[in-house]
Amino acid sequence: MKKLIAVMLALVLVLALGATALAADTLTVAFSQIGQESDWRTANTDDVKNAIEGAGWNLVYDDAQQKQENQVKALRNFITQGVDYIVFTAIVTTGWDEVLAEVKEAGIPLVLIDRFPQTGFADDSWYTTYFGGDFPEEGARAARWIVNYYNSLGRGSEEVNIVRLEGTTGADAQVGRSKGFDEEIAKTPNFKVVASQTGNFTGAEGQAVMESLLKSVEKIDVLWAENDNMALGAIEAIKAAGLQPGKDIIIVGCDAIKLAFEAIVKGEMNCTVECTPLMGSRVVEVITGLEAGETFDKVVHPVEYVYDSMGGIPYTADGAALTLKAEDHVSERLY
Ligand code: GYE
């Protein structure tokens, strides 16, 4: 028995040493995620984690549970651990200068995804590259879709009241989408944002805020929700108020998740502006390239589309891109 234990211990030791030797030449990539507020976020987390692990690298993952202070702590832990790369999504745009200066000081390359942090650094050497949605353009696309949709019905000169459910206040995705939408909708003064409140990118808050808007706003023609989960929550509130979502109130969301496609197919939602959460392959491409001494464009946006029930509605500034039918794409959508 003693001999068996000795042999087993020896085996464990050999395995442990082997793993350490392996770990020494394997990259360690840390990923600071903001939380799990939406289906988009879950898909993003899974995709990035799987890609890092799939590349054979060690993953150090941190979920900040929607708190900036947790993200700051995570970044400092990554520095202490001496990770090789940091992949970072900033929950809000401001308040990062101190900790990001520490990351730079530590010489750890920073790969930005999804939400861009605004900093006061003199140059842009504090990060390698950013990959994420063009948020002002997404907001503008939602506004163009609404106006062009009404035009397609011959109702473009009506007074149209829009209510907005905003994302997490101060998040790049919220700030950008709101700004892009406001600038675009201002070009058509009979379309007005009559109420705008945060629903924090969650279904539950989208539902609760819509419930109160239905009571306080006299005439709601259109709901623009800065993500699909809030739109889906609002649909529940609209039904509970005895109205038909997608008909009595036109509903436009953002992200293009499978549940939104399904709601469009059912006729309960009208449009979703795409923002892809699939960033894992870009992260691997960037880190692999950086290892080989390559440099990357500082800001890269993925190619994205807009989906509705009928297709053919223009949504870009030049009028060239036309909406795709959600029905044709629902089966291929995995998140
Ligand atoms: O639209 C929303 C998520 O930052 C683009 O965050 C992302 C947004 C996305 O929770 O659903």
Side-chain angles (χ1 to χ4, degrees):
M1 189 59 189
K2 264 195 188 151
K3 206 171 168 191
L4 187 64
I5 291 175
V7 168
M8 280 172 70
L9 278 177
L11 202 67
V12 167
L13 200 68
V14 167
L15 284 175
L17 283 175
T20 322
L22 198 72
D25 26 298
T26 304
L27 289 179
T28 297
V29 178
F31 175 26
S32 168
Q33 179 61 290
I34 64 172
Q36 293 303 317
E37 71 283 0
S38 64
D39 290 350
W40 188 100
R41 188 65 52 199
T42 310
N44 178 254
T45 303
D46 293 348
D47 190 61
V48 173
K49 276 177 150 182
N50 289 341
I52 292 171
E53 289 178 333
W57 301 329
N58 298 317
L59 168 71
V60 179
Y61 176 72
D62 185 87
D63 175 337
Q65 319 224 338
Q66 310 298 333
K67 292 206 176 86
Q68 182 171 28
E69 69 209 65
N70 289 348
Q71 273 200 297
V72 171
K73 264 189 225 152
L75 293 172
R76 293 203 167 118
N77 281 337
F78 297 161
I79 297 172
T80 312
Q81 289 176 56
V83 303
D84 298 303
Y85 289 88
I86 294 177
V87 179
F88 176 52
T89 292
I91 180 150
V92 288
T93 52
T94 56
W96 301 104
D97 283 32
E98 200 180 320
V99 70
L100 293 183
E102 292 168 26
V103 169
K104 188 175 179 219
E105 182 69 16
I108 304 172
L110 184 67
V111 180
L112 301 176
I113 58 168
D114 175 23
R115 297 184 186 170
F116 195 91
Q118 299 298 333
T119 61
F121 300 129
D123 59 35
D124 62 9
S125 63
W126 55 276
Y127 73 103
T128 57
T129 179
Y130 164 79
F131 183 66
D134 183 343
F135 302 131
E137 172 60 17
E138 289 166 4
R141 286 178 175 193
R144 289 186 205 112
W145 184 89
I146 293 166
V147 173
N148 291 336
Y149 173 69
Y150 270 82
N151 281 335
S152 77
L153 302 175
R155 295 173 52 192
S157 55
E158 288 178 14
E159 289 291 318
V160 176
N161 283 0
I162 303 167
V163 297
R164 169 167 54 203
L165 289 173
E166 297 168 18
T168 308
T169 307
D172 196 13
Q174 178 274 314
V175 177
R177 286 173 188 162
S178 290
K179 184 171 179 276
F181 188 91
D182 285 341
E183 282 173 8
E184 188 62 36
I185 211 73
K187 296 176 188 167
T188 322
N190 53 313
F191 287 70
K192 284 191 193 73
V193 178
V194 293
S196 188
Q197 273 184 47
T198 185
N200 274 314
F201 281 134
T202 71
E205 284 183 69
Q207 181 169 354
V209 174
M210 191 67 197
E211 214 176 282
S212 81
L213 289 175
L214 284 163
K215 288 178 194 144
S216 61
V217 181
E218 205 175 307
K219 174 178 171 275
I220 301 177
D221 301 300
V222 178
L223 163 68
W224 153 232
E226 288 179 344
N227 84 345
D228 286 335
N229 284 101
M230 293 190 295
L232 294 165
I235 286 173
E236 295 309 312
I238 293 168
K239 283 186 194 166
L243 296 169
Q244 277 191 297
K247 297 188 181 66
D248 296 327
I249 298 179
I250 300 300
I251 300 171
V252 182
C254 192
D255 284 352
I257 58 172
K258 195 182 190 75
L259 288 174
F261 282 11
E262 287 169 355
I264 292 174
V265 172
K266 269 200 269 173
E268 294 186 343
M269 191 166 160
N270 305 79
C271 171
T272 181
V273 176
E274 186 173 38
C275 175
T276 184
L278 305 179
M279 301 182 174
S281 60
R282 175 66 180 170
V283 166
V284 170
E285 181 191 339
V286 165
I287 295 177
T288 306
L290 292 170
E291 283 292 295
E294 282 172 41
T295 52
F296 290 88
D297 286 346
K298 281 289 177 179
V299 173
V300 176
H301 300 302
V303 176
E304 292 167 332
Y305 304 94
V306 176
Y307 299 86
D308 60 16
S309 64
M310 58 280 167
I313 301 282
Y315 61 84
T316 48
D318 61 4
L322 305 178
T323 51
L324 304 172
K325 278 188 184 184
E327 197 182 353
D328 297 340
H329 296 272
V330 60
S331 64
E332 80 210 20
R333 182 84 358 163
L334 300 176
Y335 53 88

